[in-house]
Amino acid sequence: MRRPPPSPQVLSVTLATAGMIAAAGWVHLRFGPEHMMESTSFGLAFYAMGVAQIAAAAALVATRGSTLSARVAVVLNLGIAGLWAVSRTVGLPIGPEAWHAEAAGAADVVCTVAEVWAAVAMVLLLPRVRAGRPALVAA
């Protein structure tokens, strides 16, 4: 049995969140070489995060925002955003400068905001629009 096509609202939320996740993945891939020079493990982690985020974005689109792909994307993005928060507040417990907080740069702030907004959209908006309710309620 084929699933019916998604509503325009579901498609809009899915494409917007997938776009934010793919953009965050691109940022991680873009900064992979810089982190590779600092530490091979950090560089590989950036490449892995970038590939995982782009794959999650593609899965969201391919599955039309299925519950499973949305849950995986939420966990992935909040995990990466949490890792960033730790690295900017107390520092990571590993690496060449363990427990040394890094300065926040514009690219990583924008990337983290995209990750968190995508997760919020998937948790709050996607279930509403799937149920046929408005995504946003005017006050």
Side-chain angles (χ1 to χ4, degrees):
M1 186 164 121
R2 288 187 69 194
R3 264 184 0 186
S7 72
Q9 294 83 9
V10 169
L11 187 58
S12 295
V13 171
T14 300
L15 291 176
T17 56
M20 287 185 279
I21 295 167
W26 179 85
V27 170
H28 283 108
L29 292 177
R30 160 63 184 85
F31 285 94
E34 183 178 313
H35 284 81
M36 188 68 87
M37 288 188 294
E38 178 184 357
S39 163
T40 302
S41 58
F42 284 179
L44 292 175
F46 263 69
Y47 288 128
M49 287 185 283
V51 169
Q53 285 178 309
I54 291 170
L60 269 173
V61 173
T63 64
R64 304 180 212 171
S66 76
T67 302
L68 177 61
S69 64
R71 285 180 180 163
V72 168
V74 165
V75 170
L76 173 68
N77 284 284
L78 290 181
I80 292 171
L83 183 65
W84 177 84
V86 169
S87 73
R88 297 311 184 267
T89 55
V90 296
L92 297 176
I94 59 170
E97 295 180 4
W99 299 115
H100 179 323
E102 296 181 44
D108 52 293
V109 170
V110 170
C111 181
T112 303
V113 168
E115 291 160 352
V116 172
W117 271 108
V120 168
M122 286 182 284
V123 168
L124 298 179
L125 299 181
L126 204 49
R128 288 188 64 80
V129 297
R130 269 200 209 108
R133 296 190 310 258
L136 300 173
V137 178

